[in-house]
Amino acid sequence: MLSLNDTPFQPATLQLTGILGMQTGHTWVALIFCILYLISIIGNLSILTLVVREPALHQPMYYFLSVLSLNDLGVSFSTLPTVLATFCFNYRHTGFDACLVQMFFVHTFSFMESGILLTMSFDCFVAICDPLRYATVLTNSCILAMGLGILVKSFITLFPFPFLVKHLPFCKGRILHHSYCLHPDLMKVACGDIHVNNFSGLFVVIFTYGIDSALILLSYALILRVVLAIASQEQRLKALNTCMSHICAVLAFYVPIIAVSMIHRFWKSAPPVVHVMMSNVYLFVPPMLKPIIYSMKTKEIRRGIFKILHKSQS
């Protein structure tokens, strides 16, 4: 039965879902999500503050890191309203247009993160394979151009999706399977011809995750070749340690994506709670882990944190 504000093609609101298959324990899940959000927001804001305030961190590597932290804040804030409303206040409805806007930003920030990790692998490649030209290659204008290129590419590739979804009829209900809006989730409740949407989604995934991950692997293959040619074992370990933070960040981003894809493809009989929890891990855990990784693995970040703590105690 359609409400007065509905059309035969577009519902006025969509209903979000907590965790299917979990009848109890939503209070604990809400607490866990709040802790994850808090760690992610505080951690990434701390990285941004450090890079801005500390002159020693005004280098290409830390500029890229600050862009990564800014993007992770975008991921967190794009999902925060509906996740907290669903789990903390048991409010599960969202407007159709608001859902499309959230879908656009969630996917845009996710695809931008892949591009940022690619530029950071380029930074590692130049630092190890051509260190004498590092300062001349990675100038401020070059870094700005790469950042704007990632933003424009992600925006252009994702911009048509809200309009493609908006023109679909929704006759399979209005209940989504997550506490935020995703393009694949909306396709499950849409009817009509969704081939264009599915093909466009597959193209964008290959065009972003596929190409970016392949180029990251290529950059590390070239880095490994140069490192293995170094005679001194101490120098080899020092060179590899330069990339360790970035390698951990890449794994924190891509491993959940691969795990979600494998579960959806090869374990379709898994309980609904497994699918939903893995999708939540894919969006919530990497933004929380990356500030921790860089704080633990990067000496300059640790030094900046200790410096700020020492000043606050004084």
Side-chain angles (χ1 to χ4, degrees):
M1 181 68 67
L2 296 173
S3 68
L4 294 176
N5 293 326
D6 288 342
T7 71
F9 298 98
Q10 183 185 114
T13 61
L14 293 167
Q15 182 177 330
L16 302 172
T17 306
I19 298 180
L20 294 173
M22 181 179 285
Q23 306 303 327
T24 59
H26 273 221
T27 302
W28 288 105
V29 172
L31 179 61
I32 292 172
F33 283 164
C34 288
I35 293 172
L36 292 178
Y37 274 123
L38 192 63
I39 295 174
S40 175
I41 292 171
I42 292 175
N44 286 294
L45 283 176
S46 299
I47 295 291
L48 284 172
T49 304
L50 278 173
V51 174
V52 171
R53 290 182 55 179
E54 293 297 319
L57 301 181
H58 294 174
Q59 301 175 34
M61 171 185 173
Y62 302 107
Y63 291 150
F64 288 127
L65 178 58
S66 63
V67 174
L68 182 65
S69 295
L70 191 63
N71 189 80
D72 283 337
L73 286 172
V75 173
S76 297
F77 284 122
S78 62
T79 58
L80 181 65
T82 55
V83 171
L84 291 187
T86 300
F87 287 99
C88 296
F89 304 104
N90 200 30
Y91 183 79
R92 302 176 182 273
H93 296 281
T94 182
F96 184 78
D97 290 334
C99 186
L100 295 184
V101 171
Q102 184 184 51
M103 176 198 76
F104 172 77
F105 281 109
V106 168
H107 288 299
T108 298
F109 284 123
S110 180
F111 290 140
M112 282 180 62
E113 185 153 350
S114 177
I116 295 167
L117 290 172
L118 174 59
T119 60
M120 295 177 78
S121 71
F122 178 70
D123 172 78
C124 293
F125 169 78
V126 177
I128 293 176
C129 299
D130 199 0
L132 297 179
R133 296 183 56 200
Y134 183 80
T136 57
V137 172
L138 290 171
T139 60
N140 290 341
S141 58
C142 177
I143 295 170
L144 180 61
M146 286 192 287
L148 289 176
I150 293 169
L151 176 62
V152 170
K153 178 188 127 178
S154 301
F155 182 85
I156 290 176
T157 52
L158 271 300
F159 184 74
F161 279 78
F163 300 98
L164 290 173
V165 175
K166 193 174 178 65
H167 287 88
L168 287 173
F170 285 79
C171 55
K172 296 180 182 178
R174 59 180 72 182
I175 300 176
L176 303 181
H177 294 160
H178 296 86
S179 53
Y180 46 85
C181 298
L182 295 175
H183 182 259
D185 210 10
L186 286 166
M187 290 301 95
K188 291 179 182 178
V189 295
C191 53
D193 189 0
I194 60 173
H195 287 92
V196 174
N197 299 73
N198 288 333
F199 177 79
S200 301
L202 179 62
F203 170 78
V204 170
V205 168
I206 295 174
F207 184 63
T208 52
Y209 293 151
I211 294 178
D212 291 348
S213 59
L215 291 175
I216 290 172
L217 286 174
L218 175 62
S219 66
Y220 273 104
L222 297 174
I223 288 171
L224 189 61
R225 186 182 68 174
V226 171
V227 169
L228 291 177
I230 299 175
S232 170
Q233 182 178 359
E234 182 180 351
Q235 292 297 320
R236 287 201 298 267
L237 293 175
K238 185 178 179 180
L240 288 175
N241 190 56
T242 304
C243 306
M244 192 55 61
S245 298
H246 179 256
I247 292 173
C248 293
V250 170
L251 292 175
F253 179 72
Y254 279 104
V255 167
I257 292 176
I258 294 172
V260 169
S261 300
M262 295 294 286
I263 287 174
H264 279 287
R265 185 173 183 84
F266 299 109
W267 195 18
K268 295 181 180 179
S269 61
V273 64
V274 174
H275 291 279
V276 177
M277 286 301 294
M278 285 303 301
S279 297
N280 287 327
V281 166
Y282 149 66
L283 276 181
F284 299 152
V285 173
M288 177 205 67
L289 281 181
K290 285 193 278 290
I292 298 174
I293 290 169
Y294 277 94
S295 299
M296 293 176 60
K297 293 290 185 179
T298 308
K299 180 172 64 176
E300 289 77 7
I301 296 292
R302 290 200 306 271
R303 186 181 296 138
I305 293 173
F306 292 145
K307 185 177 179 180
I308 290 177
L309 291 175
H310 179 71
K311 286 182 179 179
S312 64
Q313 289 175 356
S314 301

